[in-house]
Amino acid sequence: INELPLDTYLDRLAEEPDTEPYEKQRAFAIAARTYAAHYMEPANRKFPGKPYDGSDSPAVFQLYGGVVFEERNPRWVEAATSTASHILTKNGQIIRPPYFSSDDGRTRVPTDAGWNNFPFAEIFTSKPDPWCNGQALRGHGVGMSGCGAEGQANEGKTAAQILEYYYPGTTLSTYPL
């Protein structure tokens, strides 16, 4: 078990390598930090009774690459550092921001993924995701898509603008609250 401060964990999170646009990396750093912070809250523990808050399996948590990923992706570390402590909140509460690889041109709602009673479900309305047109659905389809974030970054959008598109009505806040 690695015991790390949240922002050190982010530096080693293998979600967006240096082959991706910088603003996409920044948007994903904020979403990934928010996701981890959500599950660090005592009421939201994903692994209750275990001596850890996360897992290195993307099937159940996030893809943790460790020091090797950190050393091979210095721009990702810069993106994570430039957004240090930034998280997404709604009404003063940390949201659980899902993200995924690609969709077919439209995002899904939580119930489409079988997530009933999803917190702040009103954030996650189905919306056009034209940057992904012609692609297959890879992942659950709820929240921010990788292809959409990449397309928006390539158009010159900032991380904040990308996040506002996929998580409307949220606020960029500082962790811990």
Side-chain angles (χ1 to χ4, degrees):
I1 296 174
N2 288 332
E3 292 187 23
L4 305 168
L6 182 57
D7 282 318
T8 302
Y9 166 77
L10 253 290
D11 289 347
R12 300 170 183 178
L13 192 63
E15 296 288 350
E16 293 300 323
D18 282 2
T19 55
E20 299 300 321
Y22 185 64
E23 288 299 315
K24 176 187 179 186
Q25 287 181 310
R26 292 182 77 237
F28 268 81
I30 294 167
R33 181 181 298 106
T34 305
Y35 184 87
H38 170 81
Y39 283 115
M40 289 170 64
E41 294 290 304
N44 302 328
R45 298 277 317 260
K46 189 162 191 165
F47 306 100
K50 303 286 186 189
Y52 51 84
D53 293 313
S55 164
D56 61 358
S57 169
V60 295
F61 199 68
Q62 296 174 312
L63 181 58
Y64 182 75
V67 173
V68 172
F69 182 84
E70 178 182 19
E71 291 172 348
R72 292 183 180 165
N73 295 278
R75 200 164 41 84
W76 165 258
V77 174
E78 181 183 326
T81 300
S82 76
T83 63
S85 301
H86 292 129
I87 59 167
L88 296 167
T89 62
K90 181 158 177 122
N91 301 332
Q93 295 180 30
I94 302 170
I95 69 163
R96 185 170 77 194
Y99 51 88
F100 61 98
S101 295
S102 64
D103 57 51
D104 54 5
R106 185 157 203 87
T107 65
R108 307 309 198 263
V109 298
T111 54
D112 291 341
W115 303 339
N116 299 321
N117 304 313
F118 197 80
F120 300 113
E122 69 275 8
I123 296 169
F124 308 102
T125 60
S126 177
K127 62 179 59 61
D129 205 6
W131 308 275
C132 302
N133 281 340
Q135 296 191 33
L137 179 63
R138 289 182 42 225
H140 45 67
V142 181
M144 180 171 55
S145 70
C147 51
E150 180 176 355
Q152 290 188 53
N154 287 336
E155 290 175 356
K157 300 266 176 67
T158 66
Q161 291 170 318
I162 295 167
L163 293 167
E164 177 57 33
Y165 184 78
Y166 291 107
Y167 308 112
T170 61
T171 302
L172 268 175
S173 301
T174 302
Y175 185 81
L177 295 176

